[in-house]
Amino acid sequence: MPELPEVETVVRSLRRHLPRGGRRARLERAELRFPGMLKFGKQYWPRLDGCEITDVGRAGKYIWIACRSPAGPRGAPATVWRLLLHLGMSGQLTIEPAAAALAAHTHAIFHLAGARQLRFRDPRRFGRIGVVPAAADSGGAANRHAGAMDAGSIPAALSPEEERQLGIPPGGEPLEIGEAEFVKLFRGRQAPIKNALMNQRLLRGLGNIYADESLFRAGIAPRAHDLSAPRLRRLRLAIRQVLEEAIRAGGSSISDYVDSGGKRGWFQFQHRVYGREGQPCPQCGAPIRRITLAGRSAHFCPHCQT
Ligand SMILES: [Zn+2]
């Protein structure tokens, strides 16, 4: 399942490969091949045709693409839409030449100017697509009242209100959360720290791989709870370090993850505990153990992590 580094890698590669602004960024037609994938905003879907792509970003594990529709007939104002995509368990978003063979399980095709396509493929179908009108920047009502929202006025991130409406979990962003906020969020929790880290309402974007790897680097056992402030501070730094290294490596390709250029990630070769049950700990040589916590496997070194 793609976690924060994989989603961030897809966003960064989309930003590199999707021309934004200018003629070639035109989304000529949005083709939905498996309607069940579109979970919300069905009425807005046809409005994507003819849009100009103006930006790409991420909120938690959601990828958003801002699209500006041209002014309508009879003076209808231009509107900015956010196309939201969630990769689910096995989703892939790739940019390909229009002439490239269509892979099985391609559920949506965004036909781009310049004979290219942004394709959404998802064999396991846990992915999601949605379309919503973009909310204006702070002072929303006033801006919306102005009618045609200029692409330049789209905030770089989703507003908390937009996120709430979209059902995106409200958790902190692990790459941005400050030390005091992080400690406050996890201090005194009685649940195993591994479970708390994967709770998307607390922190969003960490799944099994990066929770295990971060706990190893911080020297904290997955079952540990009620952690002291110094240990939590160490954990926050370990999380940032692991995520940043993973993003630099292009994410982890465990099953079928690829970025938008079809490239696999390399971070799986740098995993120190995840998926390494029985193999020697890179720090002390003791065999890595695997246990089950809340129905998910947790990998750790019983010697280095307490
Ligand atoms: Zn060890």
Side-chain angles (χ1 to χ4, degrees), residues 281 284 301 304:
C281 163
C284 74
C301 171
C304 298

Side-chain angles (χ1 to χ4, degrees), residues 216 273 280-288 300-305:
F216 174 76
V273 285
C281 163
Q283 225 157 258
C284 74
I288 299 296
F300 68 106
C301 171
H303 186 247
C304 298
Q305 294 172 255

Side-chain angles (χ1 to χ4, degrees), residues 5-223:
E6 290 77 42
V7 179
E8 181 65 25
T9 301
V10 171
V11 167
R12 290 184 189 187
S13 67
L14 285 175
R15 291 178 77 97
R16 268 199 312 276
H17 294 118
L18 265 186
R20 286 164 287 142
R23 214 170 149 262
R24 283 172 56 82
R26 228 170 75 90
L27 199 176
E28 291 178 336
R29 190 163 61 89
E31 178 188 352
L32 193 60
R33 294 166 54 89
F34 174 57
M37 243 345 123
L38 183 60
K39 302 294 185 197
F40 51 88
K42 290 184 176 65
Q43 70 274 34
Y44 303 129
W45 183 262
R47 301 290 304 274
L48 294 173
D49 292 356
C51 272
E52 182 195 344
I53 293 172
T54 57
D55 207 356
V56 184
R58 178 182 66 78
K61 291 196 212 170
Y62 274 89
I63 295 166
W64 58 259
I65 300 178
C67 307
R68 187 179 193 274
S69 68
R74 293 186 291 278
T79 312
V80 179
W81 309 97
R82 277 196 207 269
L83 169 63
L84 283 130
L85 302 130
H86 192 290
L87 302 176
M89 302 282 286
S90 59
Q92 297 178 345
L93 263 179
T94 55
I95 298 181
E96 297 178 41
L102 201 60
H105 312 290
T106 301
H107 302 314
I109 303 175
F110 302 93
H111 299 258
L112 306 171
R116 295 194 309 163
Q117 299 178 343
L118 173 62
R119 296 176 177 177
F120 185 66
R121 178 175 179 266
D122 184 11
R124 298 188 61 186
R125 294 188 176 181
F126 284 103
R128 298 186 277 288
I129 304 178
V131 188
V132 287
D137 214 334
S138 57
N143 281 341
R144 228 163 295 164
H145 186 66
M149 195 207 314
D150 187 74
S153 71
I154 312 174
L158 296 175
S159 67
E161 176 62 13
E162 274 183 293
E163 294 190 357
R164 197 186 55 75
Q165 285 172 355
L166 295 169
I168 299 177
E173 283 286 342
L175 290 173
E176 291 161 16
I177 191 167
E179 188 178 274
E181 203 188 333
F182 185 90
V183 170
K184 196 170 149 222
L185 200 57
F186 290 100
R187 194 81 206 264
R189 293 201 178 266
Q190 298 307 310
I193 185 65
K194 167 85 190 275
N195 300 2
L197 282 182
M198 289 174 57
N199 179 347
Q200 303 295 303
R201 301 187 72 81
L202 299 177
L203 206 60
R204 58 191 191 185
L206 287 189
N208 230 8
I209 298 175
Y210 299 103
D212 278 358
E213 291 296 316
S214 301
L215 287 168
F216 174 76
R217 297 223 194 164
I220 298 170
R223 268 206 206 97

